[in-house]
Amino acid sequence: MINTGWQKASFSSATDTCMEVRTVDGIVEIRESDTAEVIVRTSPTKFAKFLQGIKADEFDHHADPNA
């Protein structure tokens, strides 16, 4: 299996708080850099579906505090 180090989005490069992702033994791990001890684990397929949802603006209503 390919294991990778933590990677953060280039969009977050100017800040110290960002989402980070890595692959460990075929599992995708996600964390926020400012709470690095909390790690969410998921399958590559589910992570790909999540990313597709983000790109399709499926979750934008969560960013609106009035929704």
Side-chain angles (χ1 to χ4, degrees):
M1 289 284 159
I2 297 174
N3 294 344
T4 61
W6 288 107
Q7 176 185 0
K8 67 179 183 174
S10 58
F11 183 78
S12 303
S13 63
T15 66
D16 291 335
T17 57
C18 60
M19 297 299 296
E20 298 176 315
V21 64
R22 73 177 178 184
T23 303
V24 176
D25 295 329
I27 299 296
V28 176
E29 295 186 334
I30 308 160
R31 71 179 184 182
E32 288 191 55
S33 60
D34 60 341
T35 54
E37 68 279 2
V38 178
I39 298 173
V40 175
R41 293 175 177 89
T42 190
S43 71
T45 301
K46 288 180 181 178
F47 184 62
K49 295 277 188 187
F50 176 67
L51 292 178
Q52 289 172 350
I54 290 171
K55 291 177 183 179
D57 301 327
E58 186 175 328
F59 306 107
D60 285 0
H61 65 281
H62 293 292
D64 182 0
N66 299 315

